[in-house]
Amino acid sequence: MTTTQRWTMVAAILGSSVVFLDGTIVNVALPKIGETLPATLVSVLEGQTYVASGYLATLAALLILAGAVADYYGRRRVFAIGLAGFGITSMLCAFAPNLELLSLFRVLQGATGALLVPGSLSIITATFDGEARARSFGIWAASTSGLLLFGPIIGGVLVTAVSWRAAFFINAPLVILGLWATLRHMEETRDESATGRFDWLGACVAVVAVGGLAFGAIRGEAQHWGDLTAFGALGIGAVATLGFPFLMTRRPNPLVPLELFRSRVFTVINVSTLLIYGALYVSVYFQTLFLQGVLGYTPVASGMIGVPTGILLTVLSTRIGALAGRIGPRPFLVAGPLVMAAGLLWMARIPSNSPAWAADIAEPASLVPPTGALLDVLPSVLAFGVGISLVVAPLTSALMSSVAVRFAGVASAINNAVSRVGSPLMSAIIFIVVSGTFYSTLAAKVPGVDPASPELRQMVQPINPPKPDTPQEVREAGRAASTDAFHVASIACAALLVAGAAVNYVGLRGEPRDALPGEGPAAGDPDPGSAGQA
């Protein structure tokens, strides 16, 4: 790498890492935020939900707009604005005097974060070519994974030893270094063929489409699908999503050129992203609930279970990215999801009496998991870690090599939006199946109980600990029913992963990049036959 390329990588890694890292650290800080910050207009629980979900919903809603703006006005310029904005809003969050203002500042922070996520990948795409690009995506995946691995640990230490406000102060040195690297070393790139005015109408419709789906799914989960607002937002988002392609055909300078989807590889990768990342996030969510709520793992032990996956992803991603650049992404994008599915199927056999791991940082002896926990959980975690390591860098490389460099920002943004909107939507669908399994099993194990009874649903809920005053018979039946429900969730997520592998197996045959009509490789584009061919 040249000095310019090296510092560009540093900036891209830091820009995307602060966005992901902030989510993990702030989640750890939520209990302390609720305890210490005053609130007058919202309840503590509602405010905590806005602090976490408002950030994610805004981030998702603005991704496509941010990617298109970067391609049009300049990736370096927009990325620098995003870094500066993220730093400023982080400080606003750190000094927030109440829960209402913190919620508002988190929404603004999500908006600035949207400028960084697609920007980092599009900048790497414009800076590197061929095998070097694939290896760079591996470095990016390994580095961001390493930072995310320690996010919950760092967050726990900061919140315990300093204050919840330190969860936002920690962004400052990362943002300053990233901004210096961007302004000092990064070269400006943009879509040089862009003509005419920016498509602001298309941008508004895209925000409504992605934002409606993201907010509706997040709100629905938070309110257990008992709030009509969630369904209204989903309906508005769905209508905007369906109408968006028709709008793009009529715009003189469309926000999202539909010719992108004439690239078979681009379309296939986005479909497999929806399936694979949907299964990834949903399975991690239900696993955390099951380990703590049913088996009795402590939060520390539940968090440490994911450490092997993070280590494998950090260690293997660069090597896998380099290999994918030489032999093509298809073998990895077929094998990876299948290995992940095997890990989930192993989790689907865990019994309700699997021994709990009560790890405690203050007691070193407790950090050794019981043998039963190792046999029940560790094989699944290792398989999942190997599988996701085979996926991340090759998927990113295949996506970014499937389109011309001038579309890099919007292409990355579309893929990020698919993963961020798809995950809560998949979770909502699977939750319906999980709930049905839970209450039917509960009714079978406790004769005479009405599974639709509001009183019963107050006492026990799927894959969650029962209320303290729950009768022993219902408590034991709920534990068994939650185990069955978790098994169903694991099998459903494994099926999504197998479907993702099948999509990649069929869709990635032949040429790795479908040439866009009337266009050869753009300046700085890889040769269509040079990378990703399987």
Side-chain angles (χ1 to χ4, degrees):
M1 286 188 189
T2 64
T3 300
T4 295
Q5 290 176 323
R6 188 177 298 112
W7 281 108
T8 296
M9 279 295 301
V10 169
I13 289 168
L14 289 174
S16 53
S17 293
V18 291
V19 177
F20 301 141
L21 188 65
D22 199 71
T24 60
I25 292 180
V26 172
N27 285 342
V28 175
L30 282 177
K32 284 293 184 183
I33 290 173
E35 290 175 11
T36 58
L37 267 188
T40 54
L41 299 179
V42 298
S43 67
V44 171
L45 181 59
E46 185 180 7
Q48 288 172 314
T49 301
Y50 294 147
V51 169
S53 301
Y55 173 80
L56 295 175
T58 309
L59 178 66
L62 297 177
L63 281 171
I64 295 178
L65 169 60
V69 165
D71 286 342
Y72 191 90
Y73 291 104
R75 301 181 184 103
R76 175 178 176 271
R77 176 188 300 176
V78 171
F79 194 74
I81 293 172
L83 280 170
F86 199 86
I88 292 169
T89 52
S90 294
M91 293 304 99
L92 290 174
C93 290
F95 289 109
N98 55 54
L99 201 51
E100 289 85 0
L101 280 177
L102 178 59
S103 300
L104 173 62
F105 296 152
R106 282 285 281 171
V107 169
L108 297 176
Q109 192 183 32
T112 59
L115 300 175
L116 300 175
V117 176
S120 58
L121 293 181
S122 64
I123 287 166
I124 293 174
T125 301
T127 305
F128 297 91
D129 294 323
E131 290 184 19
R133 179 186 294 172
R135 184 173 182 275
S136 297
F137 284 132
I139 295 172
W140 174 84
S143 302
T144 52
S145 300
L147 287 173
L148 289 175
L149 173 63
F150 295 104
I153 300 172
I154 295 170
V157 171
L158 289 175
V159 171
T160 303
V162 185
S163 162
W164 65 264
R165 298 182 188 275
F168 296 102
F169 282 127
I170 195 176
N171 292 332
L174 302 177
V175 166
I176 290 171
L177 178 58
L179 191 57
W180 175 83
T182 299
L183 297 177
R184 178 70 177 82
H185 293 284
M186 187 182 294
E187 296 178 352
E188 182 63 281
T189 59
R190 59 167 55 87
D191 179 4
E192 299 293 349
S193 65
T195 58
R197 296 180 178 178
F198 187 79
D199 183 12
W200 288 107
L201 175 60
C204 292
V205 174
V207 169
V208 172
V210 179
L213 293 175
F215 174 78
I218 292 171
R219 176 77 178 179
E221 279 192 271
Q223 299 297 320
H224 302 290
W225 299 103
D227 184 4
L228 292 178
T229 303
F231 293 100
L234 285 172
I236 293 171
V239 170
T241 300
L242 292 173
F244 186 74
F246 297 100
L247 177 64
M248 292 299 96
T249 62
R250 298 177 178 275
R251 301 298 292 167
N253 301 288
L255 180 81
V256 177
L258 294 184
E259 58 192 287
L260 285 176
F261 293 94
R262 294 175 188 165
S263 166
R264 175 169 49 85
V265 175
F266 180 78
T267 303
V268 166
I269 290 297
N270 278 292
V271 172
S272 68
T273 295
L274 177 69
L275 297 169
I276 294 170
Y277 278 85
L280 168 65
Y281 293 125
V282 173
S283 63
V284 170
Y285 169 71
F286 280 114
Q287 177 183 297
T288 302
L289 287 180
F290 179 71
L291 293 178
Q292 294 186 43
V294 179
L295 299 187
Y297 279 55
T298 61
V300 172
S302 177
M304 290 181 67
I305 284 294
V307 169
T309 296
I311 292 174
L312 287 168
L313 190 55
T314 302
V315 171
L316 296 178
S317 287
T318 301
R319 295 178 175 85
I320 297 300
L323 278 174
R326 289 198 293 270
I327 67 176
R330 183 170 173 251
F332 303 99
L333 294 181
V334 173
L338 294 178
V339 174
M340 293 168 69
L344 290 183
L345 292 177
W346 182 268
M347 289 290 278
R349 53 155 293 283
I350 295 180
S352 61
N353 61 354
S354 178
W357 182 16
D360 185 348
I361 295 295
E363 298 180 14
S366 73
L367 298 181
V368 179
T371 302
L374 286 175
L375 293 176
D376 285 339
V377 179
L378 186 59
S380 173
V381 170
L382 293 176
F384 208 79
V386 171
I388 193 63
S389 299
L390 294 174
V391 167
V392 175
L395 185 145
T396 305
S397 179
L399 172 82
M400 301 308 293
S401 297
S402 68
V403 299
V405 168
R406 64 192 184 94
F407 295 136
V410 71
S412 172
I414 290 170
N415 189 254
N416 272 281
V418 166
S419 66
R420 291 177 185 277
V421 172
S423 299
L425 290 177
M426 292 289 182
S427 179
I429 294 170
I430 292 176
F431 183 79
I432 294 171
V433 180
V434 165
S435 295
T437 301
F438 175 80
Y439 288 111
S440 63
T441 302
L442 195 64
K445 290 186 176 293
V446 185
V449 71
D450 179 10
S453 165
E455 293 78 12
L456 178 68
R457 297 193 176 217
Q458 284 293 323
M459 290 189 290
V460 287
Q461 294 183 3
I463 322 183
N464 273 286
K467 299 294 182 182
D469 57 347
T470 303
Q472 185 63 27
E473 181 184 19
V474 176
R475 181 185 296 269
E476 292 178 357
R479 182 184 176 93
S482 285
T483 302
D484 288 348
F486 174 71
H487 292 168
V488 168
S490 298
I491 292 170
C493 290
L496 289 176
L497 289 167
V498 172
V503 167
N504 289 329
Y505 177 78
V506 174
L508 297 182
R509 285 178 174 174
E511 290 295 327
R513 177 187 187 273
D514 295 334
L516 299 177
E519 174 184 2
D525 277 4
D527 177 11
S530 67
Q533 186 161 348

